[in-house]
Amino acid sequence: MKNIFYLVFLFLIISCAEDSETPDSFSIKKEDSVSREETNKSIVPTPPKAEENKVNDTINDKSSSLPERIQTNLNDYKVIECSNKDTKLTRCMISGDKNQRIVDYIISDESSVECFEKRNLKVRYLSRSIISRGGCNSKVYIKVGNIRSTSFNSENIETSTQVKVFTFGDITLPNKIKKGEFVDINPSNNENVFYKTNDGFGILGGDVATGQFNHDSTTNEFEAFVFNIRNEIKVRVTLSRLFAKEGERALAITLNENNEILRKKYITLKKDNDLRENKHEKSFSIITKGAKSLLILPYKYRKGFIKENDSSDFYIKELKTFSAEDTRNDEA
């Protein structure tokens, strides 16, 4: 009987010891529980610290989608929107000083698809408007400036540091006159002399028309005029003694800093009334924005006008440049 009582007492002591938990063991289990709960939560990353906004946010909050070259200069650009609902053209004028002209522009991809079809959207350098047609609803970022023009002719051409003339063999054209092709210009060691007359200016020398810019139809070499671009946007040139009945032609090329062709323009007189009257003056314009130099040279005769013992030649009567005048205050 005593043994049975002793066994029951021992069993109760052991049972109480197994059910008891220390405070330390409880706190550990609680921490484990919290840890598992946090692991099951979705992780929300901490947003990176915003960088200083270097873009003028007075235009809109979508400035980050603009082309990189205007993101940091939005103060220089204006937004002009021009909506067109039918086939008739819509002309939208720029606001501000009437002396200001468009000197740079970027067509936004927010413009409607019709704007990217041929002739539906016209934006031209040095103009005061953009033209939309064919249902084109356009959005264009434009930079405007006051235009300053300078004229060069036989009276002041020699005083300009932007001009140089080249004789036969100094310049070699590529086989194909197209964008990206290299033009080889070897500066002449000889002192090339301007020849001046009432018809304009040329270069002293030449095989046929002494004083004009000459082309040799046999060797395809030529004398040429080069104008170094500074901040000019467009150049307008008037040639003289370029006779229609002789099929004479000229070629104007703008080059980048690597002497690669950016733009080209053939100059010729080929209209019926020009041929009948044998006109010999011709004016043309070429955009020079982004170019390092403008090259003007006599080009081979138009097809069907090949002549022996003659050359395609001309004088430059006037060269007028247009550049944008920066009216902003200089920064300290």
Side-chain angles (χ1 to χ4, degrees):
M1 188 70 178
K2 289 181 179 180
N3 290 336
I4 293 174
F5 179 80
Y6 177 80
L7 291 175
V8 171
F9 178 78
L10 181 62
F11 175 77
L12 292 174
I13 293 175
I14 294 173
S15 298
C16 292
E18 288 178 348
D19 290 340
S20 65
E21 291 180 321
T22 65
D24 290 342
S25 65
F26 176 81
S27 63
I28 291 173
K29 286 187 177 181
K30 184 175 182 180
E31 288 174 358
D32 289 342
S33 176
V34 173
S35 177
R36 286 193 297 270
E37 183 180 356
E38 290 180 347
T39 303
N40 292 332
K41 288 182 179 179
S42 60
I43 299 175
V44 181
T46 303
K49 184 179 180 180
E51 296 182 359
E52 181 182 356
N53 185 9
K54 297 181 180 180
V55 179
N56 185 338
D57 56 6
T58 58
I59 289 187
N60 54 43
D61 293 332
K62 298 180 180 180
S63 57
S64 59
S65 66
L66 299 178
E68 183 178 352
R69 70 188 177 101
I70 70 170
Q71 281 192 36
T72 57
N73 295 296
L74 290 181
N75 283 329
D76 299 342
Y77 285 77
K78 298 180 180 180
V79 178
I80 182 170
E81 296 180 314
C82 196
S83 299
N84 179 264
K85 298 180 180 179
D86 49 38
T87 55
K88 295 180 181 179
L89 66 84
T90 302
R91 184 185 300 273
C92 300
M93 304 295 296
I94 66 174
S95 60
D97 190 342
K98 292 183 178 180
N99 293 323
Q100 292 187 337
R101 297 290 186 273
I102 297 174
V103 298
D104 193 13
Y105 66 89
I106 298 174
I107 300 171
S108 171
D109 58 8
E110 296 179 39
S111 303
S112 64
V113 294
E114 291 84 0
C115 298
F116 300 97
E117 297 177 2
K118 189 175 181 180
R119 301 183 184 279
N120 278 354
L121 177 62
K122 289 185 179 181
V123 189
R124 294 178 178 175
Y125 290 111
L126 306 185
S127 68
R128 281 192 47 78
S129 65
I130 69 173
I131 297 175
S132 294
R133 70 175 76 203
C136 164
N137 298 315
S138 63
K139 182 176 182 179
V140 182
Y141 292 89
I142 61 170
K143 185 177 181 180
V144 299
N146 293 333
I147 302 304
R148 177 176 55 85
S149 62
T150 304
S151 179
F152 299 93
N153 51 45
S154 58
E155 294 181 359
N156 65 354
I157 190 63
E158 288 182 315
T159 63
S160 173
T161 59
Q162 292 180 258
V163 302
K164 184 172 176 59
V165 288
F166 291 82
T167 190
F168 292 103
D170 285 345
I171 299 175
T172 303
L173 296 177
N175 293 329
K176 293 184 178 180
I177 312 296
K178 64 179 183 179
K179 185 176 181 179
E181 291 293 319
F182 176 72
V183 176
D184 190 6
I185 301 179
N186 296 312
S188 175
N189 294 323
N190 300 323
E191 183 180 358
N192 300 322
V193 180
F194 283 101
Y195 181 86
K196 297 181 288 184
T197 176
N198 290 334
D199 286 313
F201 63 86
I203 179 174
L204 190 62
D207 295 337
V208 179
T210 300
Q212 298 187 38
F213 292 99
N214 282 237
H215 177 273
D216 190 319
S217 59
T218 303
T219 65
N220 202 31
E221 293 181 336
F222 48 84
E223 299 169 316
F225 172 83
V226 174
F227 184 82
N228 293 320
I229 306 300
R230 291 177 180 169
N231 62 340
E232 289 79 11
I233 297 170
K234 184 176 78 169
V235 174
R236 182 170 178 79
V237 184
T238 300
L239 305 180
S240 67
R241 311 297 291 179
L242 187 76
F243 286 102
K245 284 187 177 180
E246 294 183 16
E248 294 180 330
R249 292 192 295 173
L251 174 63
I253 300 173
T254 59
L255 305 173
N256 64 14
E257 59 184 7
N258 297 319
N259 284 349
E260 296 168 337
I261 297 175
L262 293 177
R263 300 175 184 88
K264 66 177 181 180
K265 180 165 288 191
Y266 295 97
I267 301 95
T268 184
L269 295 131
K270 59 183 180 180
K271 295 181 180 179
D272 290 340
N273 61 326
D274 293 340
L275 292 172
R276 285 195 301 267
E277 299 175 15
N278 199 22
K279 291 185 176 180
H280 68 86
E281 284 194 9
K282 178 75 172 183
S283 296
F284 68 93
S285 296
I286 188 167
I287 297 298
T288 56
K289 182 175 177 60
K292 174 190 174 184
S293 56
L294 167 65
L295 172 62
I296 304 173
L297 58 103
Y299 200 58
K300 55 189 176 183
Y301 286 110
R302 197 155 48 91
K303 188 175 181 180
F305 288 83
I306 298 176
K307 295 184 178 183
E308 296 181 359
N309 301 321
D310 201 354
S311 71
S312 183
D313 42 54
F314 58 79
Y315 289 113
I316 298 178
K317 189 169 186 177
E318 183 185 38
L319 184 141
K320 191 172 186 179
T321 65
F322 299 86
S323 57
E325 201 170 43
D326 194 348
T327 57
R328 293 171 299 167
N329 294 327
D330 294 335
E331 296 181 356

